[in-house]
Amino acid sequence: MSRFTLRIVIALAALSIVGITATQLYWVRKAFDLKENQFNTDVNQALENVATQIFEVNKMATPANGLVTQESSNYFTVLVNGPIDSNLLGFLLKNEFDKKNITADYQYGIYNCSEQCMVGGNYISPTKNKIPASISELPSLKLDGYYFGVRFPQIEANLVSQMGIWGFSTIVMVVVIFFFVYTLFVILKQRRLSEVQKDFINNMTHEFKTPLSTISISTSVLKDPSIVQHPERLLNYATIIETESSRLKQQVERVLQMARLEKNDVGLKKENADLHQLIQEAVKNISMSLNSKQAAIELKLKATNSVALVDRLHFTNVIYNLLDNAIKYTESSPSIIITTNNQAGQFLISVHDNGIGISSENQRKIFHRFYRVPTGNLHDVKGFGLGLNYVKLIVEAHKGKIAVTSEVGKGSTFTISIPN
Ligand code: ADP
């Protein structure tokens, strides 16, 4: 998938997520409004029936309209022209609300307007038996005559609880959006991975091809019968084959090492070892493999306690890799300082170089597998982008940490801390 196509796919995906969410919100709101309207109509009708029955009990003519007023979203008042018995009102309300299937809790209060106070009332919960101990005062309105008020204190919660199917469809939508976004992330991650792996294969092909072609040229020279007459040339070509094949072996070993680590098969053989001694071993190994480049490696081994539980081989490899990088990524005359210290139960080793440095953006990425800082010409300095990933895995397998500080053009310092 090209970069442009991917951008379009992401933009369309974002647009569709926003669209779906907005549509869902719109319909949920609409459904809620519909439910609320239906509820208000039902309550109005039920209260009108109650008022009619009260007028009949009081043997008065029922006014044609204007009996029920909705004062707020959950409060209704009903005008009646005479005193009302609280029990009778309770019975009539229950009867009418049952008929309309109104299940919300309600509180009613009867007012005598000449005295401006509530003269009776009750709190009814059709679905629960538990009723609050005290009934709160209903808002009194300065009306003439007798009236009663009915309030539904939890009407919003009641209406929401009746919107089960909408709640379900919203949950389903959220789950679908989650998977959608997750899939997009997986696509992006896979794409980045495939790019990195493509780079790795290019690198590897190049790294393997060079020694192989040198070996092949050398063997064709050795096949020439006249070479026997020139023993020094014979030795020269044999040495070339030996160096190149050992280089190849090293490359293969690195790739295999990573493959093993990937399977979490580090297989550490931890033992108490003197880390200063391991550092010196790594320095000796690297000094032997230095060919043309001359590197000055200074040791400032200041730690008083240098013994820790480590895997000797892997730990020496870690130091070797850091030194190898310090030399590889320094353009001329590398000057490397290895410092050790003890700090808060930790053994600290820092490898400082005066090399090309690493930008802060790349400092976060260099520990990723296959990652190499883009230099324009990738094959300038050889490598697979595996070394620092290996270092990090091994350090973490020792319950340690690795950090880097660096400035482009000035140099880098890698610091490892492991408990000891
Ligand atoms: P490799 O050296 O095989 O490319 P590494 O994992 O060892 O892979 O390093 C990853 C990248 O980090 C390197 O490609 C290089 O760009 C950068 N890097 C590592 N060590 C240093 C260093 N001491 N100075 C500058 N850049 C470094």
Side-chain angles (χ1 to χ4, degrees):
M1 205 189 290
S2 76
R3 198 171 282 264
F4 179 70
T5 325
L6 194 73
R7 275 202 190 142
I8 292 204
V9 168
I10 292 176
L12 287 178
L15 209 72
S16 56
I17 287 175
V18 172
I20 289 173
T21 314
T23 315
Q24 178 76 5
L25 286 179
Y26 172 79
W27 282 113
V28 169
R29 183 74 240 179
K30 252 215 145 20
F32 183 83
D33 288 348
L34 252 161
K35 273 237 168 291
E36 200 175 27
N37 283 343
Q38 180 64 46
F39 174 81
N40 289 341
T41 315
D42 285 350
V43 170
N44 255 297
Q45 282 175 2
L47 291 178
E48 250 169 50
N49 291 346
V50 171
T52 312
Q53 287 168 53
I54 289 173
F55 274 96
E56 275 169 16
V57 168
N58 287 347
K59 302 210 170 24
M60 289 180 189
T62 317
N65 50 29
L67 290 178
V68 181
T69 317
Q70 182 165 4
E71 306 292 347
S72 69
S73 63
N74 67 346
Y75 186 44
F76 299 78
T77 51
V78 185
L79 269 172
V80 280
N81 288 356
I84 319 156
D85 177 58
S86 178
N87 288 336
L88 174 69
L89 179 61
F91 171 77
L92 292 175
L93 284 174
K94 182 179 170 346
N95 215 6
E96 287 302 322
F97 285 168
D98 279 353
K99 274 192 211 159
K100 294 277 174 201
N101 222 355
I102 296 169
T103 54
D105 288 10
Y106 60 92
Q107 182 188 353
Y108 64 85
I110 302 164
Y111 289 85
N112 178 343
C113 296
S114 53
E115 289 161 25
Q116 284 299 339
C117 68
M118 199 167 122
V119 290
N122 206 350
Y123 186 102
I124 311 288
S125 177
T127 49
K128 292 166 260 161
N129 293 328
K130 240 179 103 213
I131 287 167
S134 65
I135 301 162
S136 63
E137 187 78 11
L138 289 175
S140 92
L141 303 160
K142 296 207 167 14
L143 297 175
D144 289 333
Y146 289 91
Y147 71 94
F148 69 89
V150 179
R151 192 162 67 107
F152 297 87
Q154 296 159 7
I155 188 55
E156 295 226 328
N158 184 273
L159 290 179
V160 168
S161 74
Q162 289 175 28
M163 292 181 58
I165 185 69
W166 286 100
F168 177 71
S169 75
T170 308
I171 291 173
V172 169
M173 190 197 76
V174 169
V175 172
V176 168
I177 289 179
F178 170 78
F179 279 113
F180 196 47
V181 172
Y182 179 71
T183 316
L184 270 183
F185 272 110
V186 170
I187 292 176
L188 286 178
K189 203 172 157 198
Q190 290 297 338
R191 199 183 123 85
R192 214 168 34 234
L193 238 133
S194 91
E195 268 173 13
V196 160
Q197 268 172 351
K198 219 159 51 196
D199 280 351
F200 168 70
I201 290 173
N202 282 346
N203 258 331
M204 194 166 78
T205 323
H206 181 87
E207 298 270 303
F208 285 163
K209 251 165 85 180
T210 323
L212 278 176
S213 53
T214 320
I215 291 173
S216 128
I217 294 167
S218 306
T219 43
S220 58
V221 175
L222 289 181
K223 268 164 85 185
D224 181 357
S226 64
I227 192 108
V228 191
Q229 267 96 55
H230 308 279
E232 73 293 345
R233 276 190 71 202
L234 198 130
L235 182 70
N236 207 0
Y237 282 105
T239 317
I240 290 176
I241 293 176
E242 192 187 17
T243 336
E244 291 301 307
S245 55
S246 88
R247 210 174 104 192
L248 259 179
K249 205 174 129 199
Q250 223 178 36
Q251 313 278 39
V252 172
E253 198 45 53
R254 274 195 179 195
V255 179
L256 287 181
Q257 206 174 39
M258 281 319 292
R260 273 202 297 274
L261 281 183
E262 198 165 297
K263 280 194 266 160
N264 269 341
D265 187 16
V266 193
L268 293 182
K269 286 193 206 87
K270 287 192 196 170
E271 55 187 301
N272 271 323
D274 181 1
L275 301 185
H276 284 164
Q277 193 193 338
L278 300 187
I279 292 171
Q280 275 154 347
E281 255 169 51
V283 172
K284 199 171 92 193
N285 291 349
I286 199 99
S287 309
M288 281 196 313
S289 64
L290 286 176
N291 334 346
S292 50
K293 244 180 188 174
Q294 275 311 307
I297 305 178
E298 189 186 341
L299 297 179
K300 291 185 180 167
L301 308 181
K302 295 190 270 190
T304 45
N305 175 12
S306 60
V307 177
L309 201 61
V310 294
D311 179 303
R312 298 178 76 94
L313 179 75
H314 282 299
F315 199 81
T316 319
N317 281 346
V318 162
I319 307 293
Y320 183 93
N321 276 350
L322 291 182
L323 292 174
D324 189 36
N325 279 349
I327 295 165
K328 272 197 316 194
Y329 300 106
T330 303
E331 269 155 355
S332 59
S333 47
S335 159
I336 300 161
I337 305 168
I338 305 177
T339 317
T340 66
N341 267 307
N342 286 118
Q343 210 178 75
Q346 302 274 318
F347 182 85
L348 304 185
I349 313 163
S350 65
V351 178
H352 171 79
D353 65 55
N354 57 338
I356 56 172
I358 309 158
S359 68
S360 53
E361 188 205 337
N362 281 313
Q363 283 172 25
R364 279 182 288 122
K365 302 182 188 162
I366 50 173
F367 297 102
H368 295 172
R369 183 169 304 163
F370 303 132
Y371 187 80
R372 306 199 71 210
V373 175
T375 57
N377 179 5
L378 216 61
H379 306 308
D380 219 15
V381 179
K382 298 189 182 359
F384 292 142
L386 293 175
L388 286 179
N389 185 248
Y390 166 80
V391 169
K392 189 168 191 287
L393 285 174
I394 295 296
V395 169
E396 283 173 357
H398 283 88
K399 300 194 170 46
K401 287 198 177 107
I402 178 155
V404 60
T405 52
S406 182
E407 205 178 319
V408 176
K410 295 223 166 124
S412 318
T413 309
F414 286 85
T415 308
I416 293 174
S417 63
I418 57 162
N420 80 331

